[in-house]
Amino acid sequence: MSASLLEQLIDALRVLPGVGGKSAQRMAYQLLERDRDGGRRLSAALAQAMEHVGHCAQCRDFTEGPLCAICASASRDRHQLCAVETPADRLAIEQATGYRGLYFVLQGRLSPLDGIGPRELGLERLSARLAEGEVSELIIATNPTVEGEATAHYLAQLARQAKVRPMRLAHGVPLGGELEYVDRGTLSHAFGSRSEMG
Amino acid sequence: MSASLLEQLIDALRVLPGVGGKSAQRMAYQLLERDRDGGRRLSAALAQAMEHVGHCAQCRDFTEGPLCAICASASRDRHQLCAVETPADRLAIEQATGYRGLYFVLQGRLSPLDGIGPRELGLERLSARLAEGEVSELIIATNPTVEGEATAHYLAQLARQAKVRPMRLAHGVPLGGELEYVDRGTLSHAFGSRSEMG
Ligand SMILES: [Zn+2]
Ligand SMILES: [Zn+2]
């Protein structure tokens, strides 16, 4: 007997991070019983995004065009580059600080056990960018977690190889915390007092 | 400026119960970066289910046809009817007990504050069913929560009006608990020692 459409939906919902069998079941019932329009809207939004959202050719952030708005802007300082783990981190820095340089969005952090290495983070592209000579400062804003720190050290090496100064956010970001949850004041202070990596 | 496809996706994901802004963001990034096939599969499963999953004309459980498999079965006892809140509760009873009667799936419980009244639970249809005279016993298996108990008392009244015996599961189901999370042994015992409602 093949799986019913309801069973297929419950199974498909489990691709979402943090959603187990019971949550998926509850989600499916809720949509079917109380919000079919919401379910249809989610279906369409998923289809559109999976098909048409790509990566910015320069910074790897998500974008629908060839370049994201920040990389395409003529008013950003091209000598500063800030590496972040996620688009949410980029947004947090953008909103909390007066930073006017460019970004590089890793879309993750080095995590060998999960099969995420330099290749998955697009680090060849970052190296090539640093080698072009326009960037003088790489601000490494990965999270202050074990994997984030390991990633930071790897990025610092890439920077030094290209004769670019590797900078790290100042202490102030709580250890073990996630950057995107830090309050604006702390993040702004940490960003302002960044120091060269030893 | 109109919302980007990514923003639309994050917004659409919030229709899922228990999913707030940060979770929706994390889900969207995860699908876009690591599992576009999963995202496409979810989109298709949602579209199919929202369009083609309906309610059984007799018991209100979800089904793709006019009748669910249990209502369509010739081998079930038509004198017993068991009212449950959700399809998950029906499945739990089906798997834990030897019950061979039919079900009525409320798809919720009386909750005036959420706008869920007798009409939303299909109780006119239940009354009509009880009035037909074939059912002699209504086993009320709503959850032992405040709202579940209120629903049980309402159903018991409907049963008495139709000269049908209203039965409630025996003590054994923990107070304040959710039926679908009860272990099989407890549920089976409680089902077996159900008693007439006073
Ligand atoms: Zn960009
Ligand atoms: Zn049915």
Side-chain angles (χ1 to χ4, degrees), chain A residues 56-61 67-72 103:
Chain A
C56 172
Q58 268 189 34
C59 75
R60 303 187 84 231
D61 198 356
L67 286 183
C68 73
I70 289 179
C71 287
Y103 293 92

Side-chain angles (χ1 to χ4, degrees), chain B residues 73-140:
Chain B
S73 163
S75 67
R76 308 287 301 210
D77 180 351
R78 301 191 167 256
H79 300 103
Q80 289 183 304
L81 192 63
C82 176
V84 292
E85 293 183 15
T86 68
D89 294 336
R90 185 193 63 67
L91 193 65
I93 290 174
E94 198 67 10
Q95 289 175 341
T97 74
Y99 181 62
R100 296 299 301 158
L102 297 176
Y103 293 91
F104 190 84
V105 182
L106 299 164
Q107 301 282 5
R109 57 187 106 174
L110 292 176
S111 178
L113 292 178
D114 300 317
I116 300 176
R119 183 194 181 82
E120 281 68 31
L121 303 184
L123 298 191
E124 300 120 8
R125 202 184 308 173
L126 177 61
S127 285
R129 178 93 167 271
L130 296 175
E132 285 166 10
E134 196 176 35
V135 174
S136 56
E137 181 186 13
L138 179 68
I139 302 169
I140 301 170

Side-chain angles (χ1 to χ4, degrees), chain B residues 24-41:
Chain B
Q25 208 177 45
R26 195 164 54 243
M27 287 172 170
Y29 295 159
Q30 165 80 14
L31 290 179
L32 284 170
E33 194 56 31
R34 314 248 175 262
D35 197 1
R36 295 216 179 202
D37 281 346
R40 287 191 195 96
R41 208 164 55 238

